[in-house]
Amino acid sequence: MSDAINHHRRRFLGTAAMTIAAAQLGMFGSAIAQSSKIKSANLPPIKPGTHTSFNALKQIDAGVLNVGYAEAGSADGPAVILLHGWPYDIHSFVDVAPLLASAGYRAIVPHLRGHGTTRFLSSETLRNGQQSAIALDMIALMDALKIKKAILAGFDWGARTADIIAALWPERCKALVSVSGYLIGSQESGKMPLLPKAELQWWYQYYFATERGRAGYDNYRHDFAKLIWQIASPKWNFDDATFDRSAASFNNPDHVSIVIHNYRWRLGLAVGEPQYDDLEKRLAEAPVITVPTITLEGDANGAPHPDPSSYAKKFSGKYSHRTIKGGIGHNLPQEAPQAFARAVVEVDGY
């Protein structure tokens, strides 16, 4: 992994997926959604914030979770799985999902573990935030929904999750849209010190490493998340109602445990689970992504992020990068939904 990637790897290190036996693929049957029929679409213009809610959420048992998710579009349309980050939720895609539905896609927007209506099936399951566990959740969701292959698109934790699935299980990923590019990392890379100015951007990571930080995030998660939104998207003038809709998802009973474990695991301050060790070893080698990919970056992203030149060679399939202008910050799909949806449609035609 290049120095540039190492210098920015900590923001969203947490995801990978567990080995899925080939025999499992037989269960998908006629419900498999392929996206080869949709090569281009004229997406209607949309003003960010046009939509404020999804239809009623659905729930499904998948792996160790009962996953809450929103869905838009025809059930037999090509599947697109839209993955949010931290501290955000499914509302990052509240305008993207209907755009994709209008183009004929089936948009699926799950709450990651520790967010919204997603719950663990067992009180005994470790509240694990490491990268391989989160990616495994999405493989399990695809299995539960009988989706053999989907376009994966996301930002922040969601982009890393999509990157990992594309890297390790390309047969499950038709194409990829990843904000801030290649975000796969390792605990070993997390040990590397950065320049002081770069370390300053990770203040919350070190805060979370302390018990005071855990208690502070638990007590002030609303204010904490709002501060991160403001820092990460300094030119996005979101209103209180927009923030509050997402902040409600942080009341999940496992939210604090998942977030704290995620950031402590990155620094080697918390252990993961042994069943993910082999996956983490593979991810530590920074595997190349072979599926068609478009990477995106906002021109006003205030969160730590790698320079596009540092990760371009990590994508060996058809690939392009775009910087989205207009004061677009870290929460790119919510700030620039048409640009994000357009990237999904275009990468489907690669």
Side-chain angles (χ1 to χ4, degrees):
M1 190 180 296
S2 70
D3 289 342
I5 293 175
N6 281 329
H7 283 188
H8 298 280
R9 78 281 177 248
R10 293 182 184 168
R11 171 74 176 169
F12 306 112
L13 286 183
T15 57
M18 206 170 187
T19 301
I20 304 298
Q24 288 180 295
L25 299 179
M27 69 183 181
F28 300 109
S30 60
I32 294 172
Q34 300 293 346
S35 51
S36 59
K37 294 181 181 179
I38 299 179
K39 296 301 181 184
S40 63
N42 293 320
L43 298 173
I46 189 170
K47 181 181 179 180
T50 296
H51 300 90
T52 59
S53 65
F54 293 97
N55 293 329
L57 296 190
K58 300 179 180 181
Q59 300 288 142
I60 191 169
D61 287 352
V64 299
L65 300 173
N66 178 263
V67 178
Y69 67 99
E71 186 169 357
S74 173
D76 60 359
V80 182
I81 299 178
L82 303 170
L83 300 171
H84 70 80
W86 173 86
Y88 306 93
D89 81 333
I90 61 174
H91 288 88
S92 290
F93 301 100
V94 72
D95 286 323
V96 171
L99 281 175
L100 293 175
S102 74
Y105 290 93
R106 177 190 183 190
I108 298 164
V109 196
H111 278 295
L112 299 186
R113 56 171 57 192
H115 294 75
T117 61
T118 292
R119 297 290 188 272
F120 284 88
L121 295 174
S122 171
S123 61
E124 302 300 316
T125 303
L126 178 67
R127 274 35 180 178
N128 182 351
Q130 75 182 100
Q131 60 182 356
S132 48
I134 298 174
L136 176 59
D137 292 342
M138 295 304 105
I139 292 290
L141 177 63
M142 291 176 69
D143 291 348
L145 294 174
K146 296 181 169 56
I147 297 172
K148 180 180 179 181
K149 199 169 192 176
I151 298 170
L152 300 175
F155 75 107
D156 197 276
W157 289 18
R160 179 176 302 104
T161 301
D163 287 349
I164 290 168
I165 295 172
L168 298 185
W169 291 277
E171 70 277 7
R172 306 303 297 271
C173 180
K174 184 181 187 297
L176 172 69
V177 174
S178 179
V179 176
S180 298
Y182 190 90
L183 298 176
I184 298 171
S186 68
Q187 286 183 314
E188 196 61 33
S189 67
K191 296 177 182 178
M192 297 180 63
L194 308 178
L195 293 171
K197 187 175 181 180
E199 295 283 16
L200 179 62
Q201 294 181 297
W202 295 104
W203 64 272
Y204 57 88
Q205 183 169 241
Y206 303 113
Y207 182 61
F208 288 163
T210 69
E211 286 307 298
R212 174 175 173 168
R214 180 189 182 98
Y217 185 57
D218 194 8
N219 291 340
Y220 304 109
R221 67 185 82 174
H222 183 280
D223 293 342
F224 196 104
K226 194 169 189 177
L227 176 61
I228 295 295
W229 277 38
Q230 293 165 341
I231 293 171
S233 298
K235 296 186 178 181
W236 182 30
N237 295 317
F238 59 88
D239 58 24
D240 288 342
T242 297
F243 174 76
D244 290 343
R245 282 189 288 271
S246 288
S249 293
F250 312 148
N251 294 325
N252 182 296
D254 301 306
H255 179 74
V256 173
S257 294
I258 294 298
V259 171
I260 297 300
H261 186 271
N262 177 283
Y263 286 100
R264 290 184 181 181
W265 179 87
R266 300 183 195 196
L267 296 178
L269 301 177
V271 297
E273 294 180 85
Q275 63 263 38
Y276 304 126
D277 286 351
D278 288 342
L279 291 177
E280 296 296 350
K281 289 178 182 178
R282 294 172 65 188
L283 294 172
E285 296 173 355
V288 170
I289 292 174
T290 61
V291 305
T293 299
I294 292 176
T295 57
L296 303 173
E297 191 58 81
D299 66 342
N301 186 359
H305 60 277
D307 186 274
S309 63
S310 71
Y311 55 70
K313 292 184 179 179
K314 301 307 296 183
F315 302 95
S316 65
K318 188 170 181 180
Y319 169 75
S320 64
H321 174 80
R322 294 170 196 155
T323 298
I324 309 303
K325 298 181 178 181
I328 304 304
H330 188 62
N331 186 4
L332 193 151
Q334 194 163 2
E335 298 175 59
Q338 190 167 34
F340 191 91
R342 185 182 299 117
V344 171
V345 174
E346 291 187 14
V347 81
D348 184 25
Y350 276 12

